[in-house]
Amino acid sequence: MLQLNKVSMRTQVYEIIKQKILSQEYDWGDQIRILPLCKELGVSNTPVREALSLLEMEGLVTSSLNSRVKVVEMTESLGNEMNQIFLVLISGSYQLCVVKNITSKLRIMLEKALEKQQKSLDKDIATSIHAALAFDRCFVDVIGNEKLSRAFEEQYTLLFLLARYNYQKAALNREDNIKEHVQILDAIRACEHELVHQLLIQHFDKHVD
């Protein structure tokens, strides 16, 4: 019972810190001071350190030899790595869709996701980003492979942060993102598979400075 409570505390602290990163209360490169955080949450440093270890495994924070923990810093290298990961996941998933002859099922999912994304234009940035990523997620989820979907989910937070960074740096905007999704969907409707792959490459070819 004590072990279960300990895990539960770690999970709660993990979610709190993660939300602080998502909301930019902790921004790129910010140091996360463990003792003040323990006092704020009213917990010992054990669940905090355990939560930070989980976040480090996800790539959201980094730690140094002097035990300083910082939110990961956005660099062009990290941005390119994330874009490559999701290009492989989504482009590879689309290829599986073609092989399994389920592109019509994918099309229906994408149409629903695109409609929700268009409705999110008058919402806050975070809502729009989640709606945009839901479109991308369709390529993976339609396969019905739990491990493949989990691979997408494991990198989701970093992709969200990257998208938010690009929005804030005006590297892309919500309208352009929707236009790209429309082009991808139109190519799928036309069964132009090679064009779909080219459009996906362009879609994930976003640079950060």
Side-chain angles (χ1 to χ4, degrees):
M1 180 62 70
L2 289 176
Q3 185 177 0
L4 288 175
N5 287 336
K6 183 178 179 181
V7 171
S8 177
M9 182 64 70
R10 178 190 65 182
T11 301
Q12 291 179 61
V13 174
Y14 160 84
E15 292 295 343
I16 290 171
I17 300 174
K18 185 175 180 179
Q19 188 55 45
K20 285 177 178 286
I21 294 173
L22 286 172
S23 65
Q24 293 183 289
E25 185 174 340
Y26 290 141
D27 209 346
W28 298 105
D30 281 355
Q31 182 177 349
I32 300 177
R33 301 182 184 279
I34 294 176
L35 289 180
L37 186 58
C38 290
K39 290 181 180 179
E40 177 188 343
L41 301 178
V43 298
S44 69
N45 66 5
T46 298
V48 172
R49 291 185 182 279
E50 289 175 345
L52 289 172
S53 293
L54 291 176
L55 291 164
E56 186 171 15
M57 289 175 61
E58 290 185 21
L60 296 178
V61 303
T62 60
S63 62
S64 58
L65 293 176
N66 59 8
S67 297
R68 287 190 175 185
V69 180
K70 298 195 307 181
V71 179
V72 66
E73 295 198 46
M74 175 50 63
T75 62
E76 184 170 2
S77 175
L78 175 60
N80 287 337
E81 286 178 359
M82 292 305 301
N83 286 330
Q84 289 170 7
I85 288 171
F86 281 91
L87 174 60
V88 169
L89 269 175
I90 293 174
S91 182
S93 294
Y94 180 70
Q95 188 172 354
L96 271 176
C97 285
V98 175
V99 171
K100 293 164 68 74
N101 195 29
I102 55 174
T103 54
S104 59
K105 181 179 179 181
L106 173 63
R107 174 182 54 78
I108 293 171
M109 292 175 64
L110 291 175
E111 287 171 347
K112 293 179 180 178
L114 181 61
E115 183 179 355
K116 291 181 180 179
Q117 185 184 1
Q118 290 168 330
K119 291 179 179 178
S120 75
L121 280 175
D122 59 349
K123 307 293 184 181
D124 59 273
I125 290 280
T127 300
S128 290
I129 293 174
H130 285 304
L133 296 181
F135 182 95
D136 297 330
R137 188 196 295 270
C138 292
F139 285 87
V140 177
D141 287 349
V142 72
I143 302 299
N145 184 313
E146 184 178 337
K147 289 183 173 56
L148 195 60
S149 294
R150 189 181 305 137
F152 184 98
E153 187 62 32
E154 286 172 353
Q155 301 296 326
Y156 183 88
T157 304
L158 266 179
L159 183 62
F160 174 91
L161 293 174
L162 175 61
R164 189 184 66 192
Y165 181 91
N166 282 327
Y167 279 128
Q168 291 172 339
K169 293 294 183 181
L172 81 152
N173 59 59
R174 288 183 267 189
E175 290 81 3
D176 285 346
N177 188 269
I178 287 177
K179 288 178 182 177
E180 291 180 2
H181 284 172
V182 169
Q183 290 177 325
I184 292 169
L185 181 53
D186 285 344
I188 292 173
R189 286 175 176 140
C191 296
E192 297 184 37
H193 305 313
E194 183 57 36
L195 178 58
V196 173
H197 286 295
Q198 291 302 317
L199 291 172
L200 287 174
I201 290 172
Q202 294 173 23
H203 184 58
F204 286 97
D205 186 23
K206 303 292 188 300
H207 300 282
V208 296
D209 52 25

PDB file of all heavy atoms in Angstrom, residues 47-68:
ATOM      1  N   PRO A  47       9.740  12.239  -4.349  1.00  0.00           N
ATOM      2  CA  PRO A  47       8.834  12.194  -5.501  1.00  0.00           C
ATOM      3  C   PRO A  47       9.156  13.243  -6.548  1.00  0.00           C
ATOM      4  O   PRO A  47       8.922  13.020  -7.742  1.00  0.00           O
ATOM      5  CB  PRO A  47       7.449  12.428  -4.879  1.00  0.00           C
ATOM      6  CG  PRO A  47       7.700  13.103  -3.592  1.00  0.00           C
ATOM      7  CD  PRO A  47       8.993  12.555  -3.096  1.00  0.00           C
ATOM      8  N   VAL A  48       9.717  14.383  -6.120  1.00  0.00           N
ATOM      9  CA  VAL A  48      10.102  15.420  -7.085  1.00  0.00           C
ATOM     10  C   VAL A  48      11.233  14.917  -7.968  1.00  0.00           C
ATOM     11  O   VAL A  48      11.197  15.055  -9.202  1.00  0.00           O
ATOM     12  CB  VAL A  48      10.506  16.727  -6.367  1.00  0.00           C
ATOM     13  CG1 VAL A  48      11.102  17.727  -7.360  1.00  0.00           C
ATOM     14  CG2 VAL A  48       9.302  17.338  -5.666  1.00  0.00           C
ATOM     15  N   ARG A  49      12.247  14.325  -7.343  1.00  0.00           N
ATOM     16  CA  ARG A  49      13.379  13.808  -8.128  1.00  0.00           C
ATOM     17  C   ARG A  49      12.947  12.657  -9.034  1.00  0.00           C
ATOM     18  O   ARG A  49      13.423  12.528 -10.166  1.00  0.00           O
ATOM     19  CB  ARG A  49      14.506  13.362  -7.193  1.00  0.00           C
ATOM     20  CG  ARG A  49      15.188  14.519  -6.480  1.00  0.00           C
ATOM     21  CD  ARG A  49      16.384  14.057  -5.661  1.00  0.00           C
ATOM     22  NE  ARG A  49      17.006  15.156  -4.959  1.00  0.00           N
ATOM     23  CZ  ARG A  49      17.866  16.022  -5.498  1.00  0.00           C
ATOM     24  NH1 ARG A  49      18.210  15.881  -6.778  1.00  0.00           N
ATOM     25  NH2 ARG A  49      18.399  16.996  -4.791  1.00  0.00           N
ATOM     26  N   GLU A  50      12.042  11.824  -8.536  1.00  0.00           N
ATOM     27  CA  GLU A  50      11.545  10.716  -9.360  1.00  0.00           C
ATOM     28  C   GLU A  50      10.758  11.248 -10.553  1.00  0.00           C
ATOM     29  O   GLU A  50      10.882  10.738 -11.672  1.00  0.00           O
ATOM     30  CB  GLU A  50      10.664   9.795  -8.521  1.00  0.00           C
ATOM     31  CG  GLU A  50      11.433   8.984  -7.495  1.00  0.00           C
ATOM     32  CD  GLU A  50      10.526   8.160  -6.597  1.00  0.00           C
ATOM     33  OE1 GLU A  50       9.309   8.444  -6.583  1.00  0.00           O
ATOM     34  OE2 GLU A  50      11.025   7.238  -5.937  1.00  0.00           O
ATOM     35  N   ALA A  51       9.959  12.282 -10.310  1.00  0.00           N
ATOM     36  CA  ALA A  51       9.181  12.883 -11.397  1.00  0.00           C
ATOM     37  C   ALA A  51      10.106  13.521 -12.424  1.00  0.00           C
ATOM     38  O   ALA A  51       9.886  13.398 -13.640  1.00  0.00           O
ATOM     39  CB  ALA A  51       8.218  13.925 -10.840  1.00  0.00           C
ATOM     40  N   LEU A  52      11.150  14.178 -11.952  1.00  0.00           N
ATOM     41  CA  LEU A  52      12.099  14.812 -12.862  1.00  0.00           C
ATOM     42  C   LEU A  52      12.849  13.772 -13.689  1.00  0.00           C
ATOM     43  O   LEU A  52      13.178  14.013 -14.859  1.00  0.00           O
ATOM     44  CB  LEU A  52      13.083  15.682 -12.077  1.00  0.00           C
ATOM     45  CG  LEU A  52      12.487  16.964 -11.475  1.00  0.00           C
ATOM     46  CD1 LEU A  52      13.496  17.645 -10.550  1.00  0.00           C
ATOM     47  CD2 LEU A  52      12.041  17.929 -12.576  1.00  0.00           C
ATOM     48  N   SER A  53      13.103  12.613 -13.089  1.00  0.00           N
ATOM     49  CA  SER A  53      13.763  11.528 -13.836  1.00  0.00           C
ATOM     50  C   SER A  53      12.869  11.051 -14.979  1.00  0.00           C
ATOM     51  O   SER A  53      13.352  10.777 -16.090  1.00  0.00           O
ATOM     52  CB  SER A  53      14.080  10.357 -12.899  1.00  0.00           C
ATOM     53  OG  SER A  53      15.059  10.718 -11.953  1.00  0.00           O
ATOM     54  N   LEU A  54      11.564  10.953 -14.710  1.00  0.00           N
ATOM     55  CA  LEU A  54      10.626  10.570 -15.767  1.00  0.00           C
ATOM     56  C   LEU A  54      10.603  11.608 -16.881  1.00  0.00           C
ATOM     57  O   LEU A  54      10.595  11.268 -18.074  1.00  0.00           O
ATOM     58  CB  LEU A  54       9.218  10.410 -15.188  1.00  0.00           C
ATOM     59  CG  LEU A  54       8.986   9.230 -14.236  1.00  0.00           C
ATOM     60  CD1 LEU A  54       7.569   9.277 -13.666  1.00  0.00           C
ATOM     61  CD2 LEU A  54       9.223   7.903 -14.940  1.00  0.00           C
ATOM     62  N   LEU A  55      10.607  12.874 -16.497  1.00  0.00           N
ATOM     63  CA  LEU A  55      10.590  13.955 -17.486  1.00  0.00           C
ATOM     64  C   LEU A  55      11.886  13.980 -18.294  1.00  0.00           C
ATOM     65  O   LEU A  55      11.881  14.302 -19.482  1.00  0.00           O
ATOM     66  CB  LEU A  55      10.375  15.294 -16.787  1.00  0.00           C
ATOM     67  CG  LEU A  55       8.976  15.480 -16.188  1.00  0.00           C
ATOM     68  CD1 LEU A  55       8.963  16.638 -15.197  1.00  0.00           C
ATOM     69  CD2 LEU A  55       7.952  15.714 -17.291  1.00  0.00           C
ATOM     70  N   GLU A  56      12.993  13.611 -17.641  1.00  0.00           N
ATOM     71  CA  GLU A  56      14.270  13.553 -18.372  1.00  0.00           C
ATOM     72  C   GLU A  56      14.251  12.415 -19.388  1.00  0.00           C
ATOM     73  O   GLU A  56      14.768  12.550 -20.505  1.00  0.00           O
ATOM     74  CB  GLU A  56      15.428  13.364 -17.392  1.00  0.00           C
ATOM     75  CG  GLU A  56      16.790  13.433 -18.066  1.00  0.00           C
ATOM     76  CD  GLU A  56      17.937  13.461 -17.076  1.00  0.00           C
ATOM     77  OE1 GLU A  56      17.727  13.137 -15.886  1.00  0.00           O
ATOM     78  OE2 GLU A  56      19.064  13.805 -17.496  1.00  0.00           O
ATOM     79  N   MET A  57      13.630  11.300 -19.023  1.00  0.00           N
ATOM     80  CA  MET A  57      13.507  10.182 -19.963  1.00  0.00           C
ATOM     81  C   MET A  57      12.686  10.585 -21.186  1.00  0.00           C
ATOM     82  O   MET A  57      12.917  10.083 -22.288  1.00  0.00           O
ATOM     83  CB  MET A  57      12.863   8.986 -19.265  1.00  0.00           C
ATOM     84  CG  MET A  57      13.754   8.311 -18.238  1.00  0.00           C
ATOM     85  SD  MET A  57      12.902   6.986 -17.329  1.00  0.00           S
ATOM     86  CE  MET A  57      12.479   5.879 -18.667  1.00  0.00           C
ATOM     87  N   GLU A  58      11.735  11.490 -20.998  1.00  0.00           N
ATOM     88  CA  GLU A  58      10.906  11.974 -22.107  1.00  0.00           C
ATOM     89  C   GLU A  58      11.600  13.067 -22.905  1.00  0.00           C
ATOM     90  O   GLU A  58      11.080  13.496 -23.939  1.00  0.00           O
ATOM     91  CB  GLU A  58       9.572  12.502 -21.577  1.00  0.00           C
ATOM     92  CG  GLU A  58       8.657  11.434 -21.043  1.00  0.00           C
ATOM     93  CD  GLU A  58       7.297  11.980 -20.645  1.00  0.00           C
ATOM     94  OE1 GLU A  58       6.926  13.068 -21.125  1.00  0.00           O
ATOM     95  OE2 GLU A  58       6.609  11.328 -19.852  1.00  0.00           O
ATOM     96  N   GLY A  59      12.737  13.538 -22.418  1.00  0.00           N
ATOM     97  CA  GLY A  59      13.459  14.578 -23.136  1.00  0.00           C
ATOM     98  C   GLY A  59      12.990  15.980 -22.821  1.00  0.00           C
ATOM     99  O   GLY A  59      13.381  16.926 -23.502  1.00  0.00           O
ATOM    100  N   LEU A  60      12.169  16.134 -21.773  1.00  0.00           N
ATOM    101  CA  LEU A  60      11.633  17.459 -21.447  1.00  0.00           C
ATOM    102  C   LEU A  60      12.559  18.260 -20.556  1.00  0.00           C
ATOM    103  O   LEU A  60      12.495  19.497 -20.538  1.00  0.00           O
ATOM    104  CB  LEU A  60      10.261  17.325 -20.777  1.00  0.00           C
ATOM    105  CG  LEU A  60       9.152  16.731 -21.639  1.00  0.00           C
ATOM    106  CD1 LEU A  60       7.867  16.615 -20.841  1.00  0.00           C
ATOM    107  CD2 LEU A  60       8.924  17.583 -22.876  1.00  0.00           C
ATOM    108  N   VAL A  61      13.405  17.580 -19.775  1.00  0.00           N
ATOM    109  CA  VAL A  61      14.363  18.268 -18.917  1.00  0.00           C
ATOM    110  C   VAL A  61      15.726  17.606 -19.077  1.00  0.00           C
ATOM    111  O   VAL A  61      15.835  16.468 -19.549  1.00  0.00           O
ATOM    112  CB  VAL A  61      13.939  18.252 -17.426  1.00  0.00           C
ATOM    113  CG1 VAL A  61      12.559  18.861 -17.242  1.00  0.00           C
ATOM    114  CG2 VAL A  61      13.997  16.845 -16.853  1.00  0.00           C
ATOM    115  N   THR A  62      16.750  18.330 -18.667  1.00  0.00           N
ATOM    116  CA  THR A  62      18.109  17.792 -18.654  1.00  0.00           C
ATOM    117  C   THR A  62      18.701  18.012 -17.271  1.00  0.00           C
ATOM    118  O   THR A  62      18.313  18.937 -16.557  1.00  0.00           O
ATOM    119  CB  THR A  62      18.998  18.480 -19.702  1.00  0.00           C
ATOM    120  OG1 THR A  62      19.070  19.895 -19.412  1.00  0.00           O
ATOM    121  CG2 THR A  62      18.450  18.291 -21.102  1.00  0.00           C
ATOM    122  N   SER A  63      19.628  17.161 -16.887  1.00  0.00           N
ATOM    123  CA  SER A  63      20.305  17.326 -15.599  1.00  0.00           C
ATOM    124  C   SER A  63      21.813  17.321 -15.822  1.00  0.00           C
ATOM    125  O   SER A  63      22.314  16.706 -16.767  1.00  0.00           O
ATOM    126  CB  SER A  63      19.913  16.212 -14.628  1.00  0.00           C
ATOM    127  OG  SER A  63      20.305  14.947 -15.136  1.00  0.00           O
ATOM    128  N   SER A  64      22.527  18.024 -14.956  1.00  0.00           N
ATOM    129  CA  SER A  64      23.981  18.111 -15.058  1.00  0.00           C
ATOM    130  C   SER A  64      24.629  17.425 -13.863  1.00  0.00           C
ATOM    131  O   SER A  64      23.935  16.982 -12.930  1.00  0.00           O
ATOM    132  CB  SER A  64      24.410  19.580 -15.116  1.00  0.00           C
ATOM    133  OG  SER A  64      23.963  20.271 -13.969  1.00  0.00           O
ATOM    134  N   LEU A  65      25.953  17.347 -13.866  1.00  0.00           N
ATOM    135  CA  LEU A  65      26.670  16.664 -12.797  1.00  0.00           C
ATOM    136  C   LEU A  65      26.481  17.335 -11.444  1.00  0.00           C
ATOM    137  O   LEU A  65      26.581  16.692 -10.400  1.00  0.00           O
ATOM    138  CB  LEU A  65      28.165  16.586 -13.144  1.00  0.00           C
ATOM    139  CG  LEU A  65      28.522  15.690 -14.343  1.00  0.00           C
ATOM    140  CD1 LEU A  65      30.004  15.768 -14.633  1.00  0.00           C
ATOM    141  CD2 LEU A  65      28.102  14.247 -14.080  1.00  0.00           C
ATOM    142  N   ASN A  66      26.229  18.646 -11.466  1.00  0.00           N
ATOM    143  CA  ASN A  66      26.011  19.355 -10.200  1.00  0.00           C
ATOM    144  C   ASN A  66      24.547  19.316  -9.760  1.00  0.00           C
ATOM    145  O   ASN A  66      24.123  20.098  -8.910  1.00  0.00           O
ATOM    146  CB  ASN A  66      26.497  20.803 -10.300  1.00  0.00           C
ATOM    147  CG  ASN A  66      25.799  21.569 -11.407  1.00  0.00           C
ATOM    148  OD1 ASN A  66      24.846  21.072 -12.010  1.00  0.00           O
ATOM    149  ND2 ASN A  66      26.273  22.766 -11.690  1.00  0.00           N
ATOM    150  N   SER A  67      23.797  18.389 -10.356  1.00  0.00           N
ATOM    151  CA  SER A  67      22.389  18.130  -9.989  1.00  0.00           C
ATOM    152  C   SER A  67      21.443  19.257 -10.390  1.00  0.00           C
ATOM    153  O   SER A  67      20.312  19.300  -9.915  1.00  0.00           O
ATOM    154  CB  SER A  67      22.262  17.875  -8.471  1.00  0.00           C
ATOM    155  OG  SER A  67      22.987  16.723  -8.114  1.00  0.00           O
ATOM    156  N   ARG A  68      21.877  20.173 -11.228  1.00  0.00           N
ATOM    157  CA  ARG A  68      20.961  21.191 -11.722  1.00  0.00           C
ATOM    158  C   ARG A  68      20.055  20.585 -12.799  1.00  0.00           C
ATOM    159  O   ARG A  68      20.522  19.885 -13.686  1.00  0.00           O
ATOM    160  CB  ARG A  68      21.726  22.377 -12.296  1.00  0.00           C
ATOM    161  CG  ARG A  68      22.376  23.252 -11.246  1.00  0.00           C
ATOM    162  CD  ARG A  68      22.896  24.536 -11.863  1.00  0.00           C
ATOM    163  NE  ARG A  68      23.409  25.443 -10.856  1.00  0.00           N
ATOM    164  CZ  ARG A  68      23.847  26.683 -11.115  1.00  0.00           C
ATOM    165  NH1 ARG A  68      23.834  27.125 -12.365  1.00  0.00           N
ATOM    166  NH2 ARG A  68      24.296  27.446 -10.145  1.00  0.00           N
TER     167      ARG A  68
END
